Amino acid sequence: MPLELFTVGEPIADTTAPRDVPLPDRWNERKFRARLVNPANRRRLSVIVVGTGLAGGSAAATLAEMGYRVKNFWFQDSPRRAHSVAAQGGINAAKNYRNDGDSVHRLFYDTVKGGDFRSREDNSYRLAEVSAAIIDQAVAQGVPFAREYGGLLDNRSFGGAQVSRTFYARGQTGQQLLYGAYQALERQIGLGNVEQHPRTEMLDLIVVDGKARGIVVRHLITGEITSHFADAVVLASGGYSNVFYLSTNAKGSNVTAAWRAHKRGALFANPCYTQIHPTCIPVSGDYQSKLTLMSESLRNDGRVWVPKERGDTRNPKDIPEDERDYYLERKYPAFGNLVPRDIASRQAKAVCDEGRGVGPNGLGVYLDFSDAIARVGQAAIEAKYGNLFDMYNRITGENAYETGMRIYPAVHYTMGGLWVDYDLSSNIPGLFVIGEANFSDQGANRLGASALMQGLADGYFVLPSTISNYLADGPFPAVDATHPAAVEAEQSVRAQTERLLSINGTRTVASFHRELGKLMWDLCGMERSEPGLRKALDRIPEIRQEFWSNVKVSGEQGIFNQNLEHAGRVADFIELAELMCVDALHRNESCGGHFRAESQTPEGEALRDDENYAYVAAWEYTPEGEPPVLHREALEYEYVHLAQRSYK
């Protein structure tokens, strides 16, 4: 790989996991070895938490319950509007209620295999181990999980597993889990243990003497820019799927908090690991602003198919069974329609590329429920998925009970994020990163129903146990807005804001975002290649230069100005996009959601190169014009045997 794209720095390693004990004992051993903070001292310590999704909301509530003074920041009007509210299908847990062979070890193995052997064993095992406690916590909060006739919690299956371990609340699981965390958070706000800062966006990290000590925020209603301080900072700001412009994420979801921390020294790991979800409503027009997810849970009862012949535009009800290709069932008989997301997405793209796609633009496949309705009746399907069918009908005007759904892959989740160790600490002391904002648990592809699991595991159980080891050295020396590091950070935010408003160009912020997103989808999306990535790396600096010379940001600083908000986020997306392409180009293998056209098996499956790429790629930020620095963390497997994934 030519050195003009990046340079290689010193290797890194996670030194906090106690590897001198067996894997199943490591989490308990780590908790035992970690230093504690006695209850009286916790009242003297403060923690900033950025975000109120499942990770941030649960962390803020739990830390406050423990006695820490918590300052919670979010840019929505209510914590309930965090994007976790949109999660549909369910949450995994190794409870084995179905007595079908599930266990902590099986969930651990499925996670590592599903991530195509690019996640840490330590973190993935802990995630599986903690999963059962999450369900107990949520039930105690009153989360209305679906139950069987006798009153026991129900389960369903998700991709990449041959057991039923997914707990769900119809197609609104994220909403119900978020409301559980929200009520716990609101209780602590009411008790005065959490200082709330709604409608504020983090725009910089304040680092004092090498430690994260605060953040700079802009109030989105008044435009006021202020600094806030604590003994530790926790980022729970979500993923960066909106770098593609069109994604299933909320329009406000962005990378800014994580990216600004990266620019202050936090390593960014595996940015090219992005997840394409196979069941989304297809794009319908050039000026569409976002995409809509149709839950993976639908693949429990829906069968995916396309016509066997190219160009078949008949109504799906008029295409007889022997003229349909149930291609996932044909290619992967052991898992059928419940193969992992990366595989289902690539296969949908492949049949559409063959000219067998359905719908107005040929970019769609059918998800058909006729067999399930004939087997159990429409009322039973409505009971499980009714809100999803209603949503589909409102968006497309089609009755999916009669014709099935037209679906196509879309960007949904990002496995990359800020690098953290086993304690969820970044390489900047005092900066902890949880949920989708970190890279730690999912490898190169996340299994369905594992995002909610990781967010709540980090917030309720992992971070509260590990952050104490750091805070045991506190309280740290007081810092306020007059400290040189705080002054510099705040001035930097003001300078960028003024620069954006002063350009007064001719192109809208949205036009830049749309162009960048299409470029990334075409060249760094479901399939990547060296020529395509190099083309993207030629164009992205041109987009950045044009953005900073010709963008039109209307309005003023000291007011409610969504155009200004969007401009700052798009500026960060442009820089992130370049790093994503560098990461994708340097990783000359296919693994999970990162599919290089040059690296595939004869059957078209992802072909890893374990000899050269079995590592975490953690990138160090460098000023514009200098290549980023790559730090490698070797991935070692003691309990899982590296093998070519097979779901056949």
Side-chain angles (χ1 to χ4, degrees), residues 455-530:
L456 292 179
D458 287 355
Y460 280 137
F461 299 106
V462 180
L463 179 75
S465 296
T466 60
I467 197 171
S468 64
N469 188 66
Y470 175 78
L471 291 175
D473 287 330
F476 300 103
V479 178
D480 61 24
T482 63
H483 191 283
V487 172
E488 186 275 329
E490 194 169 314
Q491 287 178 343
S492 176
V493 169
R494 294 183 188 278
Q496 176 167 332
T497 301
E498 292 168 3
R499 183 182 177 191
L500 286 168
L501 290 167
S502 68
I503 296 169
N504 199 29
T506 61
R507 282 190 63 180
T508 65
V509 177
S511 73
F512 281 104
H513 196 178
R514 191 179 295 112
E515 180 185 357
L516 177 71
K518 187 176 188 308
L519 182 80
M520 292 297 288
W521 175 250
D522 290 343
L523 303 179
C524 194
M526 259 194 290
E527 182 176 300
R528 295 102 182 249
S529 67
E530 181 173 345

Side-chain angles (χ1 to χ4, degrees), residues 316-335:
K317 294 188 293 184
D318 297 331
I319 301 177
E321 194 74 12
D322 61 354
E323 295 181 29
R324 301 179 177 188
D325 180 13
Y326 295 91
Y327 57 90
L328 292 178
E329 297 173 19
R330 172 173 55 83
K331 291 187 174 185
Y332 307 98
F335 282 75

Side-chain angles (χ1 to χ4, degrees), residues 33 52 151 251 277 378 383 402 420:
R33 294 182 187 180
T52 60
K251 285 296 291 178
H277 198 294
Q378 182 172 323
E402 297 179 359
V420 293

Side-chain angles (χ1 to χ4, degrees), residues 125-234:
Y125 191 92
R126 178 176 63 190
L127 179 63
E129 182 181 355
V130 169
S131 65
I134 299 171
I135 304 303
D136 297 338
Q137 170 87 358
V139 170
Q141 291 174 332
V143 172
F145 285 125
R147 293 178 181 269
E148 296 175 332
Y149 181 77
L152 300 177
L153 294 177
D154 195 13
N155 290 123
R156 57 189 177 197
S157 299
F158 259 61
Q162 291 179 304
V163 297
S164 295
R165 63 163 68 103
T166 304
F167 296 77
Y168 65 97
R170 294 188 81 196
Q172 303 164 310
T173 314
Q175 179 193 66
Q176 298 304 318
L177 287 168
L178 183 61
Y179 287 1
Y182 167 73
Q183 69 184 15
L185 175 60
E186 284 297 306
R187 177 174 178 268
Q188 294 303 318
I189 291 173
L191 292 171
N193 298 330
V194 175
E195 181 183 298
Q196 57 180 332
H197 294 270
R199 304 311 302 266
T200 54
E201 180 171 26
M202 173 183 161
L203 296 180
D204 211 342
L205 178 72
I206 298 172
V207 180
V208 177
D209 297 329
K211 294 182 173 66
R213 293 300 311 275
I215 60 175
V216 180
V217 302
R218 178 178 181 271
H219 194 281
L220 300 185
I221 303 301
T222 67
E224 183 182 11
I225 295 172
T226 55
S227 299
H228 301 264
F229 305 91
D231 293 296
V233 176
V234 178

Side-chain angles (χ1 to χ4, degrees), residues 383-398:
K384 287 183 179 180
Y385 316 112
N387 67 304
L388 300 173
F389 279 75
D390 291 345
M391 190 188 309
Y392 182 85
N393 177 256
R394 291 185 182 184
I395 293 173
T396 67
E398 301 171 8

Side-chain angles (χ1 to χ4, degrees), residues 75 97-98 141 146 154 156 191 200 241 267-268 284 289 294 350 352 385 410 424 443 490 508 546 562 566 594 605 640:
F75 64 73
Y97 281 176
R98 289 293 184 90
Q141 291 174 332
D154 195 13
R156 57 189 177 197
L191 292 171
T200 54
S241 292
L267 299 177
F268 207 113
S284 60
S289 62
M294 288 287 103
C352 290
Y385 316 112
L424 303 182
E490 194 169 314
T508 65
E546 186 175 354
Q562 290 185 303
H566 193 196
H594 169 63
E605 305 289 354
V640 172

Side-chain angles (χ1 to χ4, degrees), residues 24-96:
D25 299 330
R26 286 177 189 167
W27 176 227
N28 282 332
E29 185 65 24
R30 177 57 191 147
K31 288 189 290 183
F32 177 73
R33 294 182 187 180
R35 293 174 299 167
L36 301 177
V37 180
N38 78 56
N41 286 342
R42 291 175 203 159
R43 294 191 292 270
R44 302 164 55 213
L45 294 163
S46 59
V47 181
I48 285 173
V49 178
V50 180
T52 60
L54 288 179
S58 60
T62 306
L63 292 173
E65 183 80 41
M66 294 171 67
Y68 296 109
R69 293 182 289 111
V70 176
K71 302 175 183 179
N72 200 189
F73 296 79
W74 63 90
F75 64 73
Q76 298 90 352
D77 54 352
S78 165
R80 292 176 299 175
R81 294 183 65 85
H83 184 59
S84 298
V85 78
Q88 298 171 355
I91 176 171
N92 288 329
K95 286 280 198 178
N96 196 31

Side-chain angles (χ1 to χ4, degrees), residues 412-434:
H412 176 60
Y413 185 89
T414 52
M415 286 75 66
L418 294 182
W419 183 89
V420 293
D421 61 17
Y422 193 62
D423 283 358
L424 303 182
S425 171
S426 73
N427 59 297
I428 299 177
L431 177 64
F432 293 79
V433 191
I434 60 177

